[in-house]
Amino acid sequence: MSEHCAPMPILAKNVVWDAPPFLLSRKGSVRVSAYLFKFIAKQRFVPSLVQVRRVGMNSHLVEVSGTLLVYPRRTILLPATLLLPEAIPVRSTISIGVNGSLDTGMVELVAVKWHNLPSLPNFMRAGNGLAFGTVPHLLEPLWSYLPEFIGDDFYRRKREATFQVRHPNSTVPAFDAAKDVVKDTTSG
């Protein structure tokens, strides 16, 4: 999860992420969706053309055209995935809306347009965004214990840091930790 949290400070809180499989808004949903997508496929973008346009007094639109190489996870556990190609090249244009200067501004829009594949309709992209971004983000306090079993200790370190901030001089850490779990899972 750490590699997915590194680029998050440049995203605005209400960022809109409109990539053909997903239509998301809010930074937390984008982070969780990117984390869950890594279990489905890896991707690499090879840029070929970059255009920067000023669209307002303090807004910019950066358009990057290139090839998105999608490497789907192929496993013997799901035999149908073995029929997928090793890499799927997708000609695409990524539009990034920046509010503020290009150096210090916040990204408010990420829109991806595919050129050689059809895009899903809006309601299906919004449904995918709800299923793979918004709902998992809402349930994150519950499922955040599971990645520790596969070696990802991001959530454990985050809980420990939060615990130290909430209870700097705790005399009964187990009781205070149990109260935190109840508080985190019952509050939004």
Side-chain angles (χ1 to χ4, degrees):
M1 180 61 91
S2 299
E3 67 270 12
H4 297 93
C5 290
M8 289 297 138
I10 64 168
L11 296 179
K13 183 179 179 183
N14 294 322
V15 64
V16 174
W17 188 276
D18 186 8
F22 305 109
L23 176 59
L24 295 163
S25 62
R26 312 269 309 171
K27 187 189 316 190
S29 298
V30 171
R31 176 183 49 83
V32 171
S33 178
Y35 178 71
L36 293 176
F37 187 75
K38 80 175 187 175
F39 296 109
I40 299 170
K42 286 193 272 184
Q43 45 188 345
R44 185 171 64 97
F45 188 72
V46 181
S48 61
L49 176 67
V50 177
Q51 295 177 337
V52 179
R53 289 186 289 179
R54 187 179 200 128
V55 292
M57 284 298 287
N58 206 16
S59 299
H60 299 83
L61 183 66
V62 180
E63 290 184 339
V64 184
S65 297
T67 304
L68 177 67
L69 296 169
V70 180
Y71 301 95
R73 299 270 182 192
R74 299 169 5 150
T75 176
I76 194 74
L77 300 175
L78 294 171
T81 61
L82 297 174
L83 300 174
L84 293 172
E86 199 169 309
I88 302 169
V90 180
R91 293 287 306 151
S92 55
T93 301
I94 301 174
S95 301
I96 302 167
V98 181
N99 189 10
S101 70
L102 290 174
D103 296 335
T104 59
M106 301 294 284
V107 173
E108 292 186 340
L109 170 70
V110 178
V112 180
K113 182 178 179 184
W114 289 347
H115 300 296
N116 62 338
L117 289 177
S119 181
L120 295 172
N122 279 343
F123 73 92
M124 290 181 82
R125 291 195 333 250
N128 287 342
L130 187 68
F132 290 103
T134 306
V135 171
H137 180 60
L138 290 173
L139 299 176
E140 194 172 14
L142 299 176
W143 64 262
S144 64
Y145 292 92
L146 297 176
E148 293 177 30
F149 294 113
I150 59 171
D152 190 356
D153 65 342
F154 171 79
Y155 286 107
R156 182 180 53 79
R157 287 184 284 121
K158 186 175 175 182
R159 281 191 295 274
E160 289 173 358
T162 303
F163 181 79
Q164 291 300 326
V165 169
R166 288 182 182 171
H167 311 285
N169 300 321
S170 177
T171 56
V172 187
F175 179 71
D176 291 336
K179 285 193 315 189
D180 285 349
V181 168
V182 170
K183 180 181 178 194
D184 289 343
T185 56
T186 57
S187 64

